[in-house]
Each structure stands twice: as C-alpha cells, then as structure tokens.
Amino acid sequence: MPKVPSSLVAAGGLVGGYGVARWTRKRPLGGVVLAVAGAAAAAQWQERAGGKAAGALTAAYVAAFAGSHPLAKKVGAWPAVFGVAGAVALASWAVADRRA
C-alpha cells in the first residue's frame, strides 16, 4: 500500500488543525491535529531525507504555523492557512517526496 506523501500530511496538518480549531471552537483540539500531523510528517522526512532535512522541514512547519497568524491579519485566515500550507507542501515535496 503506497504511503501518503509527506507534503500532503504536512499541508493537511496545517489546514486540518485550523479547521478543527475553528469549527469546534476548541483551539487545543486543533493543536492536537497540528501536532499529530507534524509528527507523522517529521517521521517521513527523517526516513526519506535524513535528520538535517527533517529538522529543517520541521522548523518550516512550525514557522508556517506561527507565520500564518500575522499573515491572516493582512489577507484573511483561510488564505493565510492555505498559503503557508502550500509553501510547506512545496518544500516537503522538493526535499523529501520528489525522489520517492
């Protein structure tokens, strides 16, 4: 059975985490989604691209989450989330998924 690409896992974690937090009105629940998807993506990054790449992509994932907040004030919440999710997905694909 083929694995889900890490780029989709990471982007799904960012979008899904925000969606869960917004629709349930429970931010910690969205944080759980964000963290679980981030951990799953990090494990795939480690396996596919090694420790340094996994560390850099994990940092990008966390920076995307943090950066989406000020960006949302300028462009709106959903566009900000989709924008940072796309950026993380592209980086993940380029570093870890492209070779798979």
Side-chain angles (χ1 to χ4, degrees), residues 14-30:
L14 289 161
V15 172
Y18 175 68
V20 167
R22 181 171 178 150
W23 290 315
T24 64
R25 299 191 188 278
K26 297 185 184 332
R27 292 179 75 180
L29 190 56

Side-chain angles (χ1 to χ4, degrees), residues 4-12 44-45 48 85 88-90 92-93 97:
V4 175
S6 62
S7 55
L8 292 180
V9 174
Q44 286 183 315
W45 295 329
R48 294 177 184 173
V88 169
L90 181 61
S92 178
W93 175 82
D97 294 338

Side-chain angles (χ1 to χ4, degrees), residues 1-76:
M1 183 167 174
K3 286 187 177 181
V4 175
S6 62
S7 55
L8 292 180
V9 174
L14 289 161
V15 172
Y18 175 68
V20 167
R22 181 171 178 150
W23 290 315
T24 64
R25 299 191 188 278
K26 297 185 184 332
R27 292 179 75 180
L29 190 56
V32 169
V33 172
L34 181 79
V36 168
Q44 286 183 315
W45 295 329
Q46 172 73 33
E47 177 184 314
R48 294 177 184 173
K52 287 183 182 181
L57 288 168
T58 300
Y61 184 80
V62 172
F65 167 69
S68 68
H69 292 82
L71 183 59
K73 293 179 189 220
K74 296 184 184 298
V75 300

